[in-house]
PDB file of all heavy atoms in Angstrom:
ATOM      1  N   VAL A   3       2.285  -3.093   7.564  1.00  0.00           N
ATOM      2  CA  VAL A   3       3.194  -4.225   7.641  1.00  0.00           C
ATOM      3  C   VAL A   3       4.579  -3.865   7.139  1.00  0.00           C
ATOM      4  O   VAL A   3       4.675  -3.345   6.012  1.00  0.00           O
ATOM      5  CB  VAL A   3       2.635  -5.463   6.818  1.00  0.00           C
ATOM      6  CG1 VAL A   3       3.579  -6.682   6.978  1.00  0.00           C
ATOM      7  CG2 VAL A   3       1.246  -5.813   7.224  1.00  0.00           C
ATOM      8  N   ASP A   4       5.529  -4.019   7.955  1.00  0.00           N
ATOM      9  CA  ASP A   4       6.931  -3.751   7.601  1.00  0.00           C
ATOM     10  C   ASP A   4       7.630  -5.039   7.017  1.00  0.00           C
ATOM     11  O   ASP A   4       7.497  -6.114   7.655  1.00  0.00           O
ATOM     12  CB  ASP A   4       7.769  -3.266   8.793  1.00  0.00           C
ATOM     13  CG  ASP A   4       7.410  -1.865   9.200  1.00  0.00           C
ATOM     14  OD1 ASP A   4       6.831  -1.125   8.401  1.00  0.00           O
ATOM     15  OD2 ASP A   4       7.661  -1.514  10.340  1.00  0.00           O
ATOM     16  N   PHE A   5       8.263  -4.877   5.902  1.00  0.00           N
ATOM     17  CA  PHE A   5       9.040  -5.990   5.349  1.00  0.00           C
ATOM     18  C   PHE A   5      10.472  -5.481   5.299  1.00  0.00           C
ATOM     19  O   PHE A   5      10.810  -4.382   5.673  1.00  0.00           O
ATOM     20  CB  PHE A   5       8.566  -6.289   3.925  1.00  0.00           C
ATOM     21  CG  PHE A   5       7.206  -6.959   3.899  1.00  0.00           C
ATOM     22  CD1 PHE A   5       6.067  -6.116   3.834  1.00  0.00           C
ATOM     23  CD2 PHE A   5       7.035  -8.349   3.899  1.00  0.00           C
ATOM     24  CE1 PHE A   5       4.803  -6.709   3.778  1.00  0.00           C
ATOM     25  CE2 PHE A   5       5.780  -8.886   3.840  1.00  0.00           C
ATOM     26  CZ  PHE A   5       4.645  -8.108   3.835  1.00  0.00           C
ATOM     27  N   ASP A   6      11.377  -6.347   4.809  1.00  0.00           N
ATOM     28  CA  ASP A   6      12.780  -5.970   4.706  1.00  0.00           C
ATOM     29  C   ASP A   6      12.936  -5.018   3.590  1.00  0.00           C
ATOM     30  O   ASP A   6      12.922  -5.406   2.370  1.00  0.00           O
ATOM     31  CB  ASP A   6      13.625  -7.252   4.462  1.00  0.00           C
ATOM     32  CG  ASP A   6      15.118  -6.920   4.404  1.00  0.00           C
ATOM     33  OD1 ASP A   6      15.510  -5.824   4.852  1.00  0.00           O
ATOM     34  OD2 ASP A   6      15.919  -7.787   3.896  1.00  0.00           O
ATOM     35  N   GLY A   7      13.076  -3.746   3.860  1.00  0.00           N
ATOM     36  CA  GLY A   7      13.297  -2.709   2.807  1.00  0.00           C
ATOM     37  C   GLY A   7      12.095  -2.020   2.279  1.00  0.00           C
ATOM     38  O   GLY A   7      12.239  -1.062   1.512  1.00  0.00           O
ATOM     39  N   TYR A   8      10.879  -2.392   2.767  1.00  0.00           N
ATOM     40  CA  TYR A   8       9.690  -1.664   2.275  1.00  0.00           C
ATOM     41  C   TYR A   8       8.592  -1.939   3.274  1.00  0.00           C
ATOM     42  O   TYR A   8       8.665  -2.816   4.171  1.00  0.00           O
ATOM     43  CB  TYR A   8       9.299  -2.105   0.898  1.00  0.00           C
ATOM     44  CG  TYR A   8       8.921  -3.494   0.769  1.00  0.00           C
ATOM     45  CD1 TYR A   8       7.543  -3.886   0.744  1.00  0.00           C
ATOM     46  CD2 TYR A   8       9.862  -4.528   0.606  1.00  0.00           C
ATOM     47  CE1 TYR A   8       7.191  -5.237   0.607  1.00  0.00           C
ATOM     48  CE2 TYR A   8       9.495  -5.864   0.484  1.00  0.00           C
ATOM     49  CZ  TYR A   8       8.178  -6.191   0.461  1.00  0.00           C
ATOM     50  OH  TYR A   8       7.767  -7.539   0.360  1.00  0.00           O
ATOM     51  N   SER A   9       7.509  -1.171   3.166  1.00  0.00           N
ATOM     52  CA  SER A   9       6.284  -1.340   4.004  1.00  0.00           C
ATOM     53  C   SER A   9       5.048  -1.331   3.121  1.00  0.00           C
ATOM     54  O   SER A   9       5.087  -0.782   1.999  1.00  0.00           O
ATOM     55  CB  SER A   9       6.197  -0.219   5.042  1.00  0.00           C
ATOM     56  OG  SER A   9       7.273  -0.210   5.915  1.00  0.00           O
ATOM     57  N   VAL A  10       4.007  -2.007   3.584  1.00  0.00           N
ATOM     58  CA  VAL A  10       2.714  -1.985   2.868  1.00  0.00           C
ATOM     59  C   VAL A  10       1.653  -1.474   3.846  1.00  0.00           C
ATOM     60  O   VAL A  10       1.555  -1.953   4.992  1.00  0.00           O
ATOM     61  CB  VAL A  10       2.371  -3.367   2.364  1.00  0.00           C
ATOM     62  CG1 VAL A  10       0.974  -3.357   1.737  1.00  0.00           C
ATOM     63  CG2 VAL A  10       3.383  -3.878   1.345  1.00  0.00           C
ATOM     64  N   ALA A  11       0.918  -0.469   3.408  1.00  0.00           N
ATOM     65  CA  ALA A  11      -0.162   0.104   4.189  1.00  0.00           C
ATOM     66  C   ALA A  11      -1.464  -0.150   3.530  1.00  0.00           C
ATOM     67  O   ALA A  11      -1.665   0.207   2.376  1.00  0.00           O
ATOM     68  CB  ALA A  11       0.074   1.655   4.419  1.00  0.00           C
ATOM     69  N   THR A  12      -2.391  -0.699   4.292  1.00  0.00           N
ATOM     70  CA  THR A  12      -3.770  -0.981   3.734  1.00  0.00           C
ATOM     71  C   THR A  12      -4.772  -0.152   4.490  1.00  0.00           C
ATOM     72  O   THR A  12      -4.822  -0.207   5.701  1.00  0.00           O
ATOM     73  CB  THR A  12      -4.136  -2.471   3.841  1.00  0.00           C
ATOM     74  OG1 THR A  12      -3.141  -3.271   3.179  1.00  0.00           O
ATOM     75  CG2 THR A  12      -5.489  -2.755   3.298  1.00  0.00           C
ATOM     76  N   VAL A  13      -5.512   0.698   3.797  1.00  0.00           N
ATOM     77  CA  VAL A  13      -6.536   1.548   4.395  1.00  0.00           C
ATOM     78  C   VAL A  13      -7.924   1.018   4.034  1.00  0.00           C
ATOM     79  O   VAL A  13      -8.232   0.863   2.863  1.00  0.00           O
ATOM     80  CB  VAL A  13      -6.383   3.032   3.913  1.00  0.00           C
ATOM     81  CG1 VAL A  13      -7.490   3.894   4.524  1.00  0.00           C
ATOM     82  CG2 VAL A  13      -4.985   3.553   4.231  1.00  0.00           C
ATOM     83  N   ARG A  14      -8.679   0.758   5.077  1.00  0.00           N
ATOM     84  CA  ARG A  14     -10.052   0.258   4.807  1.00  0.00           C
ATOM     85  C   ARG A  14     -10.962   1.444   4.734  1.00  0.00           C
ATOM     86  O   ARG A  14     -10.818   2.534   5.303  1.00  0.00           O
ATOM     87  CB  ARG A  14     -10.476  -0.615   6.011  1.00  0.00           C
ATOM     88  CG  ARG A  14     -10.005  -2.059   5.836  1.00  0.00           C
ATOM     89  CD  ARG A  14     -10.692  -3.024   6.785  1.00  0.00           C
ATOM     90  NE  ARG A  14     -10.012  -3.019   8.084  1.00  0.00           N
ATOM     91  CZ  ARG A  14     -10.420  -3.822   9.121  1.00  0.00           C
ATOM     92  NH1 ARG A  14     -11.452  -4.610   8.977  1.00  0.00           N
ATOM     93  NH2 ARG A  14      -9.794  -3.785  10.245  1.00  0.00           N
ATOM     94  N   ASP A  15     -12.062   1.169   3.924  1.00  0.00           N
ATOM     95  CA  ASP A  15     -13.081   2.242   3.714  1.00  0.00           C
ATOM     96  C   ASP A  15     -13.826   2.475   5.033  1.00  0.00           C
ATOM     97  O   ASP A  15     -14.480   1.540   5.546  1.00  0.00           O
ATOM     98  CB  ASP A  15     -14.042   1.753   2.642  1.00  0.00           C
ATOM     99  CG  ASP A  15     -15.076   2.781   2.216  1.00  0.00           C
ATOM    100  OD1 ASP A  15     -15.383   3.682   3.113  1.00  0.00           O
ATOM    101  OD2 ASP A  15     -15.546   2.781   1.064  1.00  0.00           O
ATOM    102  N   PRO A  16     -13.813   3.658   5.589  1.00  0.00           N
ATOM    103  CA  PRO A  16     -14.491   3.886   6.886  1.00  0.00           C
ATOM    104  C   PRO A  16     -16.000   3.664   6.828  1.00  0.00           C
ATOM    105  O   PRO A  16     -16.591   3.387   7.858  1.00  0.00           O
ATOM    106  CB  PRO A  16     -14.108   5.355   7.181  1.00  0.00           C
ATOM    107  CG  PRO A  16     -12.958   5.664   6.376  1.00  0.00           C
ATOM    108  CD  PRO A  16     -13.095   4.873   5.138  1.00  0.00           C
ATOM    109  N   TRP A  17     -16.581   3.772   5.604  1.00  0.00           N
ATOM    110  CA  TRP A  17     -18.023   3.684   5.480  1.00  0.00           C
ATOM    111  C   TRP A  17     -18.465   2.314   5.021  1.00  0.00           C
ATOM    112  O   TRP A  17     -19.641   1.997   4.894  1.00  0.00           O
ATOM    113  CB  TRP A  17     -18.511   4.811   4.502  1.00  0.00           C
ATOM    114  CG  TRP A  17     -18.205   6.121   5.046  1.00  0.00           C
ATOM    115  CD1 TRP A  17     -18.830   6.835   6.028  1.00  0.00           C
ATOM    116  CD2 TRP A  17     -17.011   6.930   4.723  1.00  0.00           C
ATOM    117  NE1 TRP A  17     -18.167   7.964   6.282  1.00  0.00           N
ATOM    118  CE2 TRP A  17     -17.031   8.056   5.545  1.00  0.00           C
ATOM    119  CE3 TRP A  17     -16.016   6.749   3.833  1.00  0.00           C
ATOM    120  CZ2 TRP A  17     -16.126   9.065   5.432  1.00  0.00           C
ATOM    121  CZ3 TRP A  17     -14.978   7.708   3.763  1.00  0.00           C
ATOM    122  CH2 TRP A  17     -15.080   8.863   4.519  1.00  0.00           C
ATOM    123  N   ASP A  18     -17.479   1.463   4.676  1.00  0.00           N
ATOM    124  CA  ASP A  18     -17.792   0.079   4.336  1.00  0.00           C
ATOM    125  C   ASP A  18     -16.514  -0.672   4.576  1.00  0.00           C
ATOM    126  O   ASP A  18     -15.668  -0.943   3.732  1.00  0.00           O
ATOM    127  CB  ASP A  18     -18.170  -0.072   2.867  1.00  0.00           C
ATOM    128  CG  ASP A  18     -18.471  -1.552   2.483  1.00  0.00           C
ATOM    129  OD1 ASP A  18     -18.417  -2.399   3.404  1.00  0.00           O
ATOM    130  OD2 ASP A  18     -18.727  -1.788   1.280  1.00  0.00           O
ATOM    131  N   THR A  19     -16.321  -1.126   5.836  1.00  0.00           N
ATOM    132  CA  THR A  19     -15.041  -1.697   6.236  1.00  0.00           C
ATOM    133  C   THR A  19     -14.788  -3.085   5.692  1.00  0.00           C
ATOM    134  O   THR A  19     -13.765  -3.679   5.979  1.00  0.00           O
ATOM    135  CB  THR A  19     -14.962  -1.754   7.804  1.00  0.00           C
ATOM    136  OG1 THR A  19     -16.111  -2.490   8.322  1.00  0.00           O
ATOM    137  CG2 THR A  19     -14.913  -0.375   8.403  1.00  0.00           C
ATOM    138  N   THR A  20     -15.765  -3.599   4.899  1.00  0.00           N
ATOM    139  CA  THR A  20     -15.490  -4.872   4.230  1.00  0.00           C
ATOM    140  C   THR A  20     -14.619  -4.704   2.988  1.00  0.00           C
ATOM    141  O   THR A  20     -14.191  -5.699   2.392  1.00  0.00           O
ATOM    142  CB  THR A  20     -16.791  -5.556   3.834  1.00  0.00           C
ATOM    143  OG1 THR A  20     -17.473  -4.764   2.829  1.00  0.00           O
ATOM    144  CG2 THR A  20     -17.699  -5.772   5.057  1.00  0.00           C
ATOM    145  N   ARG A  21     -14.410  -3.429   2.584  1.00  0.00           N
ATOM    146  CA  ARG A  21     -13.637  -3.228   1.371  1.00  0.00           C
ATOM    147  C   ARG A  21     -12.414  -2.345   1.657  1.00  0.00           C
ATOM    148  O   ARG A  21     -12.383  -1.567   2.624  1.00  0.00           O
ATOM    149  CB  ARG A  21     -14.446  -2.570   0.265  1.00  0.00           C
ATOM    150  CG  ARG A  21     -14.999  -1.207   0.595  1.00  0.00           C
ATOM    151  CD  ARG A  21     -15.763  -0.585  -0.552  1.00  0.00           C
ATOM    152  NE  ARG A  21     -14.911  -0.273  -1.687  1.00  0.00           N
ATOM    153  CZ  ARG A  21     -14.311   0.897  -1.860  1.00  0.00           C
ATOM    154  NH1 ARG A  21     -14.473   1.879  -0.966  1.00  0.00           N
ATOM    155  NH2 ARG A  21     -13.554   1.133  -2.895  1.00  0.00           N
ATOM    156  N   VAL A  22     -11.393  -2.515   0.812  1.00  0.00           N
ATOM    157  CA  VAL A  22     -10.160  -1.719   0.918  1.00  0.00           C
ATOM    158  C   VAL A  22     -10.323  -0.456   0.125  1.00  0.00           C
ATOM    159  O   VAL A  22     -10.722  -0.506  -1.035  1.00  0.00           O
ATOM    160  CB  VAL A  22      -8.947  -2.539   0.386  1.00  0.00           C
ATOM    161  CG1 VAL A  22      -7.768  -1.652   0.261  1.00  0.00           C
ATOM    162  CG2 VAL A  22      -8.683  -3.704   1.306  1.00  0.00           C
ATOM    163  N   MET A  23     -10.043   0.669   0.730  1.00  0.00           N
ATOM    164  CA  MET A  23     -10.056   1.917   0.078  1.00  0.00           C
ATOM    165  C   MET A  23      -8.824   2.169  -0.765  1.00  0.00           C
ATOM    166  O   MET A  23      -8.854   2.612  -1.894  1.00  0.00           O
ATOM    167  CB  MET A  23     -10.215   3.080   1.094  1.00  0.00           C
ATOM    168  CG  MET A  23     -10.106   4.467   0.476  1.00  0.00           C
ATOM    169  SD  MET A  23     -10.457   5.809   1.687  1.00  0.00           S
ATOM    170  CE  MET A  23     -12.295   5.714   1.695  1.00  0.00           C
ATOM    171  N   ALA A  24      -7.664   1.848  -0.176  1.00  0.00           N
ATOM    172  CA  ALA A  24      -6.391   1.969  -0.895  1.00  0.00           C
ATOM    173  C   ALA A  24      -5.297   1.173  -0.241  1.00  0.00           C
ATOM    174  O   ALA A  24      -5.347   0.867   0.972  1.00  0.00           O
ATOM    175  CB  ALA A  24      -5.987   3.430  -0.918  1.00  0.00           C
ATOM    176  N   THR A  25      -4.368   0.726  -1.049  1.00  0.00           N
ATOM    177  CA  THR A  25      -3.194   0.001  -0.583  1.00  0.00           C
ATOM    178  C   THR A  25      -1.942   0.693  -1.123  1.00  0.00           C
ATOM    179  O   THR A  25      -1.915   1.119  -2.287  1.00  0.00           O
ATOM    180  CB  THR A  25      -3.157  -1.452  -1.036  1.00  0.00           C
ATOM    181  OG1 THR A  25      -4.327  -2.097  -0.558  1.00  0.00           O
ATOM    182  CG2 THR A  25      -1.969  -2.194  -0.462  1.00  0.00           C
ATOM    183  N   TYR A  26      -0.936   0.923  -0.269  1.00  0.00           N
ATOM    184  CA  TYR A  26       0.205   1.695  -0.607  1.00  0.00           C
ATOM    185  C   TYR A  26       1.476   0.814  -0.392  1.00  0.00           C
ATOM    186  O   TYR A  26       1.637   0.169   0.627  1.00  0.00           O
ATOM    187  CB  TYR A  26       0.318   2.939   0.207  1.00  0.00           C
ATOM    188  CG  TYR A  26      -0.903   3.846   0.096  1.00  0.00           C
ATOM    189  CD1 TYR A  26      -1.908   3.808   1.066  1.00  0.00           C
ATOM    190  CD2 TYR A  26      -1.001   4.680  -0.984  1.00  0.00           C
ATOM    191  CE1 TYR A  26      -3.017   4.583   0.943  1.00  0.00           C
ATOM    192  CE2 TYR A  26      -2.124   5.482  -1.111  1.00  0.00           C
ATOM    193  CZ  TYR A  26      -3.142   5.476  -0.179  1.00  0.00           C
ATOM    194  OH  TYR A  26      -4.266   6.234  -0.290  1.00  0.00           O
ATOM    195  N   LEU A  27       2.301   0.834  -1.409  1.00  0.00           N
ATOM    196  CA  LEU A  27       3.614   0.156  -1.341  1.00  0.00           C
ATOM    197  C   LEU A  27       4.654   1.269  -1.122  1.00  0.00           C
ATOM    198  O   LEU A  27       4.892   2.072  -2.003  1.00  0.00           O
ATOM    199  CB  LEU A  27       3.890  -0.571  -2.617  1.00  0.00           C
ATOM    200  CG  LEU A  27       5.284  -1.243  -2.767  1.00  0.00           C
ATOM    201  CD1 LEU A  27       5.442  -2.251  -1.707  1.00  0.00           C
ATOM    202  CD2 LEU A  27       5.418  -1.846  -4.198  1.00  0.00           C
ATOM    203  N   LEU A  28       5.174   1.350   0.099  1.00  0.00           N
ATOM    204  CA  LEU A  28       6.165   2.354   0.433  1.00  0.00           C
ATOM    205  C   LEU A  28       7.553   1.768   0.250  1.00  0.00           C
ATOM    206  O   LEU A  28       8.031   0.896   0.959  1.00  0.00           O
ATOM    207  CB  LEU A  28       5.972   2.776   1.900  1.00  0.00           C
ATOM    208  CG  LEU A  28       4.580   3.077   2.407  1.00  0.00           C
ATOM    209  CD1 LEU A  28       4.546   3.515   3.836  1.00  0.00           C
ATOM    210  CD2 LEU A  28       3.928   4.123   1.466  1.00  0.00           C
ATOM    211  N   VAL A  29       8.220   2.304  -0.790  1.00  0.00           N
ATOM    212  CA  VAL A  29       9.537   1.736  -1.157  1.00  0.00           C
ATOM    213  C   VAL A  29      10.551   2.908  -1.222  1.00  0.00           C
ATOM    214  O   VAL A  29      10.199   4.066  -1.449  1.00  0.00           O
ATOM    215  CB  VAL A  29       9.474   1.040  -2.556  1.00  0.00           C
ATOM    216  CG1 VAL A  29       8.534  -0.108  -2.519  1.00  0.00           C
ATOM    217  CG2 VAL A  29       9.094   2.030  -3.661  1.00  0.00           C
ATOM    218  N   ASP A  30      11.794   2.503  -1.013  1.00  0.00           N
ATOM    219  CA  ASP A  30      12.868   3.510  -1.011  1.00  0.00           C
ATOM    220  C   ASP A  30      12.938   4.204  -2.408  1.00  0.00           C
ATOM    221  O   ASP A  30      12.654   3.640  -3.447  1.00  0.00           O
ATOM    222  CB  ASP A  30      14.242   2.793  -0.713  1.00  0.00           C
ATOM    223  CG  ASP A  30      15.350   3.791  -0.583  1.00  0.00           C
ATOM    224  OD1 ASP A  30      15.548   4.290   0.536  1.00  0.00           O
ATOM    225  OD2 ASP A  30      16.018   4.074  -1.601  1.00  0.00           O
ATOM    226  N   ARG A  31      13.337   5.467  -2.379  1.00  0.00           N
ATOM    227  CA  ARG A  31      13.361   6.254  -3.607  1.00  0.00           C
ATOM    228  C   ARG A  31      14.272   5.682  -4.655  1.00  0.00           C
ATOM    229  O   ARG A  31      14.060   5.908  -5.847  1.00  0.00           O
ATOM    230  CB  ARG A  31      13.802   7.636  -3.273  1.00  0.00           C
ATOM    231  CG  ARG A  31      12.970   8.366  -2.207  1.00  0.00           C
ATOM    232  CD  ARG A  31      13.337   9.854  -2.106  1.00  0.00           C
ATOM    233  NE  ARG A  31      12.956  10.567  -3.324  1.00  0.00           N
ATOM    234  CZ  ARG A  31      11.729  11.017  -3.526  1.00  0.00           C
ATOM    235  NH1 ARG A  31      10.762  10.847  -2.612  1.00  0.00           N
ATOM    236  NH2 ARG A  31      11.429  11.677  -4.627  1.00  0.00           N
ATOM    237  N   THR A  32      15.266   4.890  -4.290  1.00  0.00           N
ATOM    238  CA  THR A  32      16.237   4.340  -5.218  1.00  0.00           C
ATOM    239  C   THR A  32      15.877   2.918  -5.666  1.00  0.00           C
ATOM    240  O   THR A  32      16.555   2.396  -6.509  1.00  0.00           O
ATOM    241  CB  THR A  32      17.617   4.356  -4.594  1.00  0.00           C
ATOM    242  OG1 THR A  32      17.633   3.475  -3.414  1.00  0.00           O
ATOM    243  CG2 THR A  32      18.032   5.761  -4.155  1.00  0.00           C
ATOM    244  N   ALA A  33      14.827   2.373  -5.097  1.00  0.00           N
ATOM    245  CA  ALA A  33      14.479   0.946  -5.411  1.00  0.00           C
ATOM    246  C   ALA A  33      13.835   0.847  -6.816  1.00  0.00           C
ATOM    247  O   ALA A  33      13.158   1.763  -7.267  1.00  0.00           O
ATOM    248  CB  ALA A  33      13.539   0.382  -4.388  1.00  0.00           C
ATOM    249  N   GLU A  34      14.096  -0.337  -7.478  1.00  0.00           N
ATOM    250  CA  GLU A  34      13.389  -0.580  -8.750  1.00  0.00           C
ATOM    251  C   GLU A  34      12.119  -1.382  -8.455  1.00  0.00           C
ATOM    252  O   GLU A  34      12.176  -2.361  -7.710  1.00  0.00           O
ATOM    253  CB  GLU A  34      14.322  -1.434  -9.643  1.00  0.00           C
ATOM    254  CG  GLU A  34      15.571  -0.727 -10.050  1.00  0.00           C
ATOM    255  CD  GLU A  34      16.424  -1.620 -11.008  1.00  0.00           C
ATOM    256  OE1 GLU A  34      15.821  -2.338 -11.784  1.00  0.00           O
ATOM    257  OE2 GLU A  34      17.679  -1.533 -10.889  1.00  0.00           O
ATOM    258  N   VAL A  35      11.011  -0.945  -9.031  1.00  0.00           N
ATOM    259  CA  VAL A  35       9.768  -1.601  -8.850  1.00  0.00           C
ATOM    260  C   VAL A  35       9.251  -2.006 -10.187  1.00  0.00           C
ATOM    261  O   VAL A  35       8.904  -1.163 -11.015  1.00  0.00           O
ATOM    262  CB  VAL A  35       8.742  -0.726  -8.132  1.00  0.00           C
ATOM    263  CG1 VAL A  35       7.425  -1.462  -7.965  1.00  0.00           C
ATOM    264  CG2 VAL A  35       9.278  -0.313  -6.786  1.00  0.00           C
ATOM    265  N   ALA A  36       9.186  -3.354 -10.442  1.00  0.00           N
ATOM    266  CA  ALA A  36       8.688  -3.797 -11.762  1.00  0.00           C
ATOM    267  C   ALA A  36       7.191  -3.525 -11.882  1.00  0.00           C
ATOM    268  O   ALA A  36       6.755  -3.109 -12.947  1.00  0.00           O
ATOM    269  CB  ALA A  36       8.999  -5.310 -11.876  1.00  0.00           C
ATOM    270  N   ASP A  37       6.434  -3.797 -10.823  1.00  0.00           N
ATOM    271  CA  ASP A  37       4.974  -3.562 -10.880  1.00  0.00           C
ATOM    272  C   ASP A  37       4.459  -3.549  -9.462  1.00  0.00           C
ATOM    273  O   ASP A  37       4.732  -4.437  -8.650  1.00  0.00           O
ATOM    274  CB  ASP A  37       4.313  -4.716 -11.662  1.00  0.00           C
ATOM    275  CG  ASP A  37       2.856  -4.458 -11.943  1.00  0.00           C
ATOM    276  OD1 ASP A  37       2.341  -3.514 -11.352  1.00  0.00           O
ATOM    277  OD2 ASP A  37       2.270  -5.238 -12.733  1.00  0.00           O
ATOM    278  N   GLY A  38       3.715  -2.529  -9.118  1.00  0.00           N
ATOM    279  CA  GLY A  38       3.067  -2.487  -7.801  1.00  0.00           C
ATOM    280  C   GLY A  38       1.782  -3.176  -7.691  1.00  0.00           C
ATOM    281  O   GLY A  38       1.149  -3.147  -6.653  1.00  0.00           O
ATOM    282  N   GLY A  39       1.311  -3.837  -8.764  1.00  0.00           N
ATOM    283  CA  GLY A  39       0.044  -4.496  -8.727  1.00  0.00           C
ATOM    284  C   GLY A  39      -1.066  -3.505  -8.488  1.00  0.00           C
ATOM    285  O   GLY A  39      -1.128  -2.510  -9.137  1.00  0.00           O
ATOM    286  N   ASP A  40      -1.924  -3.818  -7.573  1.00  0.00           N
ATOM    287  CA  ASP A  40      -3.080  -2.929  -7.240  1.00  0.00           C
ATOM    288  C   ASP A  40      -2.678  -1.849  -6.283  1.00  0.00           C
ATOM    289  O   ASP A  40      -3.537  -1.019  -5.878  1.00  0.00           O
ATOM    290  CB  ASP A  40      -4.240  -3.731  -6.677  1.00  0.00           C
ATOM    291  CG  ASP A  40      -4.784  -4.720  -7.664  1.00  0.00           C
ATOM    292  OD1 ASP A  40      -4.767  -4.376  -8.859  1.00  0.00           O
ATOM    293  OD2 ASP A  40      -5.274  -5.775  -7.272  1.00  0.00           O
ATOM    294  N   ALA A  41      -1.456  -1.850  -5.827  1.00  0.00           N
ATOM    295  CA  ALA A  41      -1.022  -0.849  -4.839  1.00  0.00           C
ATOM    296  C   ALA A  41      -0.518   0.403  -5.461  1.00  0.00           C
ATOM    297  O   ALA A  41      -0.036   0.435  -6.602  1.00  0.00           O
ATOM    298  CB  ALA A  41       0.098  -1.414  -3.965  1.00  0.00           C
ATOM    299  N   VAL A  42      -0.673   1.507  -4.749  1.00  0.00           N
ATOM    300  CA  VAL A  42      -0.136   2.811  -5.171  1.00  0.00           C
ATOM    301  C   VAL A  42       1.294   2.821  -4.672  1.00  0.00           C
ATOM    302  O   VAL A  42       1.543   2.676  -3.472  1.00  0.00           O
ATOM    303  CB  VAL A  42      -0.922   3.974  -4.562  1.00  0.00           C
ATOM    304  CG1 VAL A  42      -0.272   5.316  -4.924  1.00  0.00           C
ATOM    305  CG2 VAL A  42      -2.401   3.950  -5.024  1.00  0.00           C
ATOM    306  N   VAL A  43       2.252   3.009  -5.565  1.00  0.00           N
ATOM    307  CA  VAL A  43       3.650   3.056  -5.188  1.00  0.00           C
ATOM    308  C   VAL A  43       3.973   4.435  -4.693  1.00  0.00           C
ATOM    309  O   VAL A  43       3.744   5.420  -5.369  1.00  0.00           O
ATOM    310  CB  VAL A  43       4.543   2.657  -6.361  1.00  0.00           C
ATOM    311  CG1 VAL A  43       6.038   2.808  -5.945  1.00  0.00           C
ATOM    312  CG2 VAL A  43       4.262   1.204  -6.833  1.00  0.00           C
ATOM    313  N   VAL A  44       4.525   4.510  -3.476  1.00  0.00           N
ATOM    314  CA  VAL A  44       4.925   5.807  -2.924  1.00  0.00           C
ATOM    315  C   VAL A  44       6.391   5.705  -2.566  1.00  0.00           C
ATOM    316  O   VAL A  44       6.863   4.865  -1.852  1.00  0.00           O
ATOM    317  CB  VAL A  44       4.142   6.107  -1.639  1.00  0.00           C
ATOM    318  CG1 VAL A  44       4.557   7.473  -1.078  1.00  0.00           C
ATOM    319  CG2 VAL A  44       2.655   6.096  -1.872  1.00  0.00           C
TER     320      VAL A  44
END
């Protein structure tokens, strides 16, 4: 999902598609991120 200035990528577990394997918050290198929550900030 693309937002204004960042994207969020959600990867589902291939062996159990009812669960999320990982979520990534893709943000610009210069952006300030207070907290990525459960997401891995990249």
Side-chain angles (χ1 to χ4, degrees):
V3 183
D4 287 341
F5 292 87
D6 183 17
Y8 64 99
S9 298
V10 176
T12 303
V13 177
R14 280 194 271 182
D15 187 332
W17 301 279
D18 180 4
T19 55
T20 65
R21 64 178 290 270
V22 170
M23 173 174 281
T25 302
Y26 303 98
L27 175 62
L28 313 182
V29 298
D30 187 86
R31 305 189 67 83
T32 61
E34 296 181 36
V35 180
D37 189 350
D40 295 328
V42 176
V43 176
V44 182

